[in-house]
Amino acid sequence: MANTPFILEMNHISKSFPGVKALDNVTLKVRPGTVHALMGENGAGKSTLMKCLFGIYTPDDGEIIFDGQSVKIADSKDALNRGISMIHQELHPVPHRNVMDNLWLGRYPMKGFGPFRFIDERKMLQETKAVLAELEMTLDPHVKVGSLSVSNVQSIEIAKAVSYRAKVIVMDEPTSSLTGNEVEQLFKIINKLRARGVSIIYISHKMEEILRISDDITIMRDGKLIGTWPSAEMTMDLIISRMVGRELKERFPERTNVPGEPILKVNNLTSTQALSFKDVSFELRKGEILGVGGLVGSQRTELIEALFGLRGVASGTIAINGKEVKIKSPVEAIDHKIALLTEERRVTGIFPVLSIKENTAIASLKQYRNKFGLLSDRKMRKDAADNVTRFRTKTPTIDTPIKNLSGGNQQKVLLARWLLTNPDILMLDEPTRGIDVGAKYEIYMFMTELAKQGKSIIMISSEMPELLGMSDRVMVMCEGRMTGIVDGATATEEDIMRLAAQRG
């Protein structure tokens, strides 16, 4: 083994796809037993670099040195066997199997010989308990994964990585769906792994977390390496300026919208589901950004899905422009000029195998039909191209499958999709989750411009600074009930947290 201060060296890595150079001579060096943050705007090349490390892509140029030896990583199984593990942002457990099965899937311990080989369930249970105990996780090996929280599913993925005796674990946006307490628990596990000499490559857009948990920070931009620095030398402002190549003086744009008369009135709305929202009343004004805050389980998403016709309403009324309406489907919601940008864009937002053009036009197909009922490709291409320019979406062409875009650029396509329906009410569920600071600011700019034009926006967010920085008013929910509405300009994080914990 060569004498090196690094457990991993990715030297001069380049990777091209048709129409785009995703990585251009990038070098990443990770020290043993450290948390190494990898940062950059969406489209900077972070995920492509990690896929080269994990054997999903083969680099066009460059060398990977792992544990002192030059290696060619054939595929993800090869990476795992070498001691490189990756926990993806989008978790894909097998929900109908238990914790133990998910941990050892594809590599069950066996007993017997020849055709008489069977799964050694006793050994599998012993090894599962040993791994969980090592990480001080209290999960029941026999419980079905589909019944667990996101943080518990993530814990299983970490346990799986440890079971491979991984020396390097890549964590991609590990806290994007976690509560504050769950983040603290994750950090305890990370510190435990670091103390054992495991290296963590930590990808996140949450700069407060990065500065707190990481030892080193590498920043990428447009497929190139900008540099690597000790975290102790970095500040939030320095990170932002190096990520975006310019100084962002303000995290949120100045708002010049002036809310007017109520456009939407919700009165005592109650779900058909027993443990969902109940007796919720509020109003949304024309040209207003109404933030919606609350902890996980507060039923914020369920409420706006009901307004969009995705969930049943047992009682209560919805009025638009003073007229009571019944919304029983998304088609009816769109007809009432309501749009919904969902929380999980990869699950309920994009059509991954379809192009940008098709994803942009799909909610507005009526307007592209001619008198014979045929779709006008020319009109769809024009609108898709216009919106790529308007939103500054990074893509080779409008025919590129949307799955090939970064998260921030996918979000821009979804915004374009809904704006083509010409909504008066735009509901945004966690619109900047998993999106870098530069793309966030662009989305904030679009929101403020829409509000200035008289569009009304309901924005669910779990980020306190975003709620307070972007909202004219903030409605707070707890366990399905609306517990208060505060002024966005004068409220504090403590005010919101107090209401978020105020049970009815």
Side-chain angles (χ1 to χ4, degrees), residues 131-309:
V131 171
L132 295 176
E134 187 178 347
L135 295 169
E136 296 180 21
M137 295 178 182
T138 56
L139 293 170
D140 179 353
H142 296 102
V143 71
K144 283 189 177 179
V145 170
S147 67
L148 298 176
S149 66
V150 173
S151 63
N152 282 331
V153 175
Q154 195 175 65
S155 295
I156 295 168
E157 290 297 316
I158 294 171
K160 188 187 296 185
V162 171
S163 74
Y164 274 100
R165 297 299 154 195
K167 295 179 180 179
V168 172
I169 302 175
V170 180
M171 295 187 180
D172 190 358
E173 294 287 350
T175 65
S176 63
S177 299
L178 303 187
T179 65
N181 287 338
E182 289 168 341
V183 170
E184 293 303 318
Q185 183 59 34
L186 174 65
F187 283 1
K188 284 182 183 177
I189 294 171
I190 289 175
N191 285 329
K192 211 177 292 289
L193 292 170
R194 175 163 49 189
R196 284 179 37 199
V198 177
S199 300
I200 310 290
I201 300 176
Y202 192 96
I203 302 174
S204 177
H205 297 302
K206 297 183 178 180
M207 280 170 280
E208 294 90 344
E209 287 181 6
I210 290 292
L211 290 170
R212 179 183 162 194
I213 195 69
S214 67
D215 301 292
D216 302 300
I217 297 175
T218 289
I219 294 176
M220 296 176 63
R221 188 195 317 143
D222 297 329
K224 295 182 174 69
L225 172 71
I226 301 302
T228 299
W229 299 268
S231 299
E233 296 178 6
M234 297 292 274
T235 65
M236 194 179 298
D237 289 340
L238 265 177
I239 292 172
I240 291 172
S241 64
R242 287 169 178 170
M243 275 176 58
V244 303
R246 63 191 185 279
E247 192 174 348
L248 285 179
K249 296 188 186 309
E250 300 291 338
R251 288 182 70 180
F252 305 100
E254 182 184 357
R255 295 201 314 278
T256 54
N257 59 307
V258 181
E261 70 279 2
I263 185 174
L264 171 71
K265 287 189 176 181
V266 174
N267 189 43
N268 297 119
L269 207 65
T270 298
S271 173
T272 52
Q273 295 175 306
L275 298 177
S276 190
F277 59 89
K278 186 174 183 181
D279 292 327
V280 176
S281 299
F282 69 95
E283 65 180 34
L284 173 69
R285 296 175 290 179
K286 185 175 182 180
E288 177 182 36
I289 300 176
L290 175 67
V292 184
L295 303 174
V296 172
S298 61
Q299 304 296 306
R300 299 168 299 169
T301 293
E302 289 76 4
L303 174 64
I304 65 167
E305 286 181 347
L307 296 176
F308 198 63

Side-chain angles (χ1 to χ4, degrees), residues 54 73 75-86 107 160-161 164-166:
F54 200 54
I73 299 173
D75 50 34
S76 53
K77 184 178 181 182
D78 184 25
L80 287 166
N81 289 335
R82 290 179 186 275
I84 301 168
S85 186
M86 186 169 180
R107 54 191 181 114
K160 188 187 296 185
Y164 274 100
R165 297 299 154 195

Side-chain angles (χ1 to χ4, degrees), residues 259-266 282-290 307 318-325 327 336-339 422-427 450 453-458 473:
E261 70 279 2
I263 185 174
L264 171 71
K265 287 189 176 181
V266 174
F282 69 95
E283 65 180 34
L284 173 69
R285 296 175 290 179
K286 185 175 182 180
E288 177 182 36
I289 300 176
L290 175 67
L307 296 176
I318 301 168
I320 299 175
N321 289 320
K323 182 181 177 182
E324 189 174 323
V325 298
I327 301 173
H336 286 297
K337 290 188 170 292
I338 301 175
N422 192 29
D424 291 330
I425 299 168
L426 183 59
M427 301 189 295
L450 290 170
Q453 294 170 11
K455 304 291 186 184
S456 302
I457 296 172
I458 297 175
R473 295 181 301 147

